[in-house]
Each structure stands twice: as structure tokens, then as C-alpha cells.
Amino acid sequence: MFRAEWVAAVSMDACNGCRLCMRQCQYGAIRYSSNNKKVSIDPTACYGCGVCRASCNKNAITLSPRELVTGAAGVW
Ligand code: SF4
Ligand code: SF4
């Protein structure tokens, strides 16, 4: 399995903490924080498959070009 040229990120303003996206990520890249009751995505673990974005009813997840994301650029 190769990583895609994209990396996912979560908008803290839009996320309601429902965790639907977490259940869809096969790579364990999405973490839930009980402190702020929202999720975040580890860019170094994300494969850029986009499944999480499709599962989010709040449109809180965006995909950005891997080369522009700190920590993920050059990670294939
Ligand atoms: S599915 Fe969307 S709203 Fe729900 S936890 Fe994930 S990013 Fe947040
Ligand atoms: S894009 Fe794919 S690998 Fe990255 S966080 Fe979303 S579901 Fe996980």
C-alpha cells in the first residue's frame, strides 16, 4: 500500500467529536482528545486515502497536498 499525494486534516471549529471518521481510518491516524472532545490527524500516519473525509457529516476534514504539510512532506 502506497501513500497518496494527499494528507488529511481536521478543522477544530467544524468537528463535533462524533468519531465517525476514526472508525473508518484503517491506519490509526485519527486520535480523539477527551480534553477538547475533538479528533486530530497525525500527518505522519495518514495515507491520504480520503475515507475519513467522506464519512464526516460536518465537512470538517480536508485533504492537502502532502508536500505542503509539515511532517508529512517526503513521507511515502
Ligand atoms: S467525523 Fe467529522 S465531526 Fe466527526 S469526529 Fe470526525 S472530523 Fe469530527
Ligand atoms: S485520509 Fe485515510 S489514512 Fe488519512 S486519516 Fe483519513 S482515513 Fe486515515
Side-chain angles (χ1 to χ4, degrees):
M1 180 71 190
F2 294 99
R3 292 176 195 260
E5 59 192 289
W6 306 100
V7 173
V10 177
S11 162
M12 289 298 115
D13 289 337
C15 177
N16 68 2
C18 70
R19 290 181 264 187
L20 284 174
C21 55
M22 264 182 89
R23 298 189 192 105
Q24 297 298 322
C25 181
Q26 300 179 37
Y27 305 99
I30 305 178
R31 315 269 160 76
Y32 178 76
S33 168
S34 55
N35 288 331
N36 62 6
K37 298 183 171 52
K38 296 177 187 291
V39 300
S40 61
I41 296 176
D42 177 355
T44 64
C46 175
Y47 272 66
C49 66
V51 170
C52 56
R53 184 176 65 171
S55 71
C56 180
N57 297 326
K58 294 292 184 181
N59 290 324
I61 298 179
T62 55
L63 295 171
S64 301
R66 177 172 295 276
E67 291 307 310
L68 300 181
V69 178
T70 302
V75 177
W76 295 103

